[in-house]
Amino acid sequence: MPRNIQALAPPWIYIATGQAFDDEMCERIAEHRRRRGDDWRAIEAPLDLAGALAEAGSTPVLVDCLTCGSPT
């Protein structure tokens, strides 16, 4: 299996689990959106990773930010 998702044929799915609770996270999310090209489809899944993976089916997936949680 390739280590880089882009070694696989597009389209690819970017599962975003982070939430914009503050200005810094809003900026990070905006930057991630700018960097992705048209071959990417984003699924926002801050609380339901299993559902997002099921929705993706057999399409190559990159899951971002498994450690994000609610603000303290």
Side-chain angles (χ1 to χ4, degrees), residues 9-38:
W12 310 292
I13 294 179
Y14 184 97
I15 298 179
T17 61
Q19 297 182 59
F21 290 119
D22 58 29
D23 290 342
E24 178 187 358
M25 195 61 175
C26 286
E27 290 172 18
R28 291 176 67 191
I29 290 169
E31 177 60 26
H32 284 207
R33 288 177 178 155
R34 281 191 295 273
R35 285 193 319 220
R36 289 193 301 267
D38 293 336

